[in-house]
Amino acid sequence: MTQEEDIAAEAAQETNGPTHSGFVALIGPTNAGKSTLVNRLVGAKVSIVSHKVQTTRAIVRGIAIHDNAQIVFMDTPGIFKPRRRLDRAMVTSAWGGARDADLIVLLIDSERGLRGDAEAILEGLKEVRQPKILLLNKIDRVNREDLLALAAAANEKIAFDRTFMISAENGSGCDDVMDYLAATLPEGPWYYPEDQISDLPMRQLAAEITREKLFLRLHQELPYASHVETEKWEERKDGSVRIEQVIYLERDSQKKIALGKGGETIKAISTASRKELSEILEQPVHLFLFVKVRENWGDDPERFREMGLDFPK
């Protein structure tokens, strides 16, 4: 019996019925709330969140169990009009995730509506065959009449199987989404053990958490072009873990911003990241951050591989 069959048999025994499973691609414009929603539906933090646009760079998979179903959410990068090589790689990754999924969820920010990138995404979805549902997010900030008009306008362009109105932030409407997905995904074995919530390697998740703290601390000052890599991970005999990470920036002026006066900024970022990593790992963490300048790192294929992206020609 294979590992997948073992997992399916155990799940069927515990849930007293056939199991369902599938991949659900969550796509949408930048800052629509995709990462917040994935974390909400999974019930744990698997994707970083910040106010900075295009925070998610590669597909992050979050795994949720609901009723007899294992739902694998694919948090894709926000889709926007690309200007640089990194932008192109992210948008290609997002559309690739959509085409590989069993079901596509389009998340729209109800406040922004169909302006800008949302309109282009709707056009692109016409070429994608998978079943599609529409989620209107941030409904607590928009009146009901405008929500109904937005839902009607979107459904005129794409024949969505279902439309849900939700708030990823407070969870409103999210249970209905989970009920629908659990009932709609095909019958089949679970892909992952029941207690696994993400397929992201811990070294990469640790780097993502530090990048989140970097963005949260320096949202206005630090340009988008920054990258974090976990270079060393050492499990120590006392039960703690020593982690060394490098923050790559493109210019010396950015390095000064990241370090801060007397190293104050980098210490604050390290403290915030170490605290969250300790909670996730449930063990003491010794985190050491180094800031390096690497000009034009956005043109380095190795950096793209580290992020889980294909390097566009």
Side-chain angles (χ1 to χ4, degrees), residues 123-183:
E123 287 299 315
L125 278 176
K126 293 178 180 178
E127 307 300 321
V128 181
R129 296 181 178 180
Q130 283 89 335
K132 309 168 191 69
I133 67 172
L134 173 66
L135 269 60
L136 300 182
N137 191 24
K138 306 179 184 179
I139 59 170
D140 49 323
R141 305 179 189 179
V142 180
N143 65 54
R144 180 173 176 79
E145 290 74 18
D146 289 340
L147 285 171
L148 293 174
L150 175 57
N155 277 275
E156 282 180 10
K157 297 178 180 295
I158 294 285
F160 290 101
D161 294 338
R162 285 285 300 272
T163 297
F164 295 89
M165 299 185 183
I166 69 160
S167 169
E169 191 169 329
N170 65 32
S172 175
C174 290
D175 287 343
D176 293 335
V177 175
M178 292 295 281
D179 288 342
Y180 177 82
L181 294 176

Side-chain angles (χ1 to χ4, degrees), residues 35-37 39 45 47-52 55-56 212-213 215-216:
S35 296
T36 300
L37 179 60
N39 292 340
K45 185 168 185 175
S47 194
I48 68 171
V49 179
S50 85
H51 297 298
K52 208 171 186 67
T55 300
T56 300
E212 177 191 62
K213 306 313 177 192
F215 281 175
L216 291 174

Side-chain angles (χ1 to χ4, degrees), residues 83-112:
R83 296 187 299 274
R84 302 168 302 169
R85 178 170 280 154
L86 178 58
D87 297 343
R88 296 201 307 274
M90 289 163 54
V91 171
T92 299
S93 175
W95 280 117
R99 292 185 176 91
D100 289 341
D102 295 293
L103 186 148
I104 296 172
V105 173
L106 172 62
L107 187 68
I108 296 291
D109 181 335
S110 296
E111 286 188 299
R112 293 203 306 249

Side-chain angles (χ1 to χ4, degrees), residues 186-206:
E187 184 175 322
W190 290 359
Y191 293 98
Y192 300 95
E194 186 175 1
D195 59 352
Q196 186 171 340
I197 61 171
S198 175
D199 70 345
L200 197 66
M202 188 52 66
R203 291 171 67 104
Q204 191 174 341
L205 177 60

Side-chain angles (χ1 to χ4, degrees), residues 30 54 78-84 87-88 91 116-117 120:
T30 58
Q54 298 126 36
I79 298 175
F80 58 103
K81 187 175 181 180
R83 296 187 299 274
R84 302 168 302 169
D87 297 343
R88 296 201 307 274
V91 171
D117 295 322

